[in-house]
Amino acid sequence: MYKKQKISLVIPAYNEQKLIEPTLSNVPKVIDKIYVVDDCSPDQQNDVILNCAKKDKRIQLLKHTVNQGPGGAIITGYLQSAEDGFDITIVVGGDHQMDLSEVSHFLDPIIDGEADYVKGNRFILDKLEDTLSKMPKSRLLGNILITALTKIASGYYKTMDVVEGYTAISRRAILTINWKRAWKRYGYPMDFLIRMNAYGFKIKDVPRTAIYLPGERQSQIKGFQYAMKVSPMLLKNFLWRLKFKYIYRDFHPLVMFYYFSFFLIPVGLLSGITLAVDYFFYGGHFVTPSRSIFTALLLISGFQFLLFAMLFDMEEGK
């Protein structure tokens, strides 16, 4: 227990035979329950988990019958934790990459009413230099790209390190969100952020130390390839968030600003392309001042609507 709150820990596990034991052996006493969710792992990790459970009675192994992905494993843990009455649920990976001695940093903002969802951030200033020196460069570019896309998709413009899996969530948030629609594969942290915003929950970034063990396979994320794979999901969920939050839950005119920009910018770009084609391939016979001014107005108006929509969205996401 921590400050009179019942705390659980969820660990999604797949192919973690080598690293699950050091992860479990470093769980602090403030954690009352440990749910390890086996996502149909083909290795011998469950034998290791069950052996650890003999020494630590807090450990409970939950098994999937069908592989769902890390997001699906976390949701299974969330729902079990909420059903068992725990107030706050922590999530870490089974790859011993997250320092559980820092768990109080994740719990305090929820207990103090500052947030419903707290996530680690390896790029906060006091951790930035350490992170940049440890993080593989192949992952850094992907992290930066996917963070930029997620800021727009989620409406949380002040967050960073959106692929981060070290999180804490309140029981209220778990019980409120419809997890059946959540993304369950890699990319789930960004999906979860979008859902937090759509339901009006506050989030907070806290600094955390990254652990990279030499010679060990830990995260399976491959930077730029990962960013490209989850981009369609971000676009789809962004459009869903606008509809759910600003039309269904409570109307806000910023949604109209977004929709106007979605229309005006593509039409303006198409008009600009036709002007360029006329100029370069047909001698500019069809390029007139009125067409040029009309194209410029479309683009200027479209980008103004987009920027105002993003500004209002940023304010709503605080």
Side-chain angles (χ1 to χ4, degrees), residues 253-317:
L254 74 82
V255 73
M256 303 307 298
F257 283 25
Y258 268 124
Y259 289 158
F260 285 147
S261 71
F262 296 160
F263 173 76
L264 293 172
I265 292 175
V267 172
L269 289 174
L270 182 60
S271 178
I273 291 170
T274 59
L275 282 175
V277 170
D278 288 345
Y279 181 81
F280 289 108
F281 295 98
Y282 297 99
H285 296 300
F286 302 100
V287 178
T288 63
S290 59
R291 283 188 65 190
S292 301
I293 293 172
F294 179 67
T295 299
L297 285 174
L298 287 173
L299 291 172
I300 292 170
S301 299
F303 280 108
Q304 282 184 330
F305 275 122
L306 179 62
L307 292 174
F308 276 119
M310 292 171 66
L311 177 62
F312 292 139
D313 202 12
M314 184 188 302
E315 292 297 318
E316 289 292 314

Side-chain angles (χ1 to χ4, degrees), residues 2-10 30-33 35 77-78 81-82 85-91 103-104 106-113 115-118 167-172 174:
Y2 181 79
K3 296 184 178 180
K4 300 182 180 180
Q5 301 290 301
K6 293 174 63 179
I7 312 299
S8 68
L9 174 68
V10 171
V30 296
I31 303 294
D32 301 296
K33 186 73 174 182
Y35 300 103
Y78 275 174
S81 176
F86 289 94
D87 301 299
I88 302 173
T89 300
I90 298 287
V91 173
V103 71
S104 62
F106 293 77
L107 298 173
D108 287 338
I110 295 178
I111 293 172
D112 296 339
D116 295 281
Y117 188 74
V118 179
T167 63
I169 187 173
S170 67
R171 184 169 186 266
R172 182 171 75 99
I174 292 175

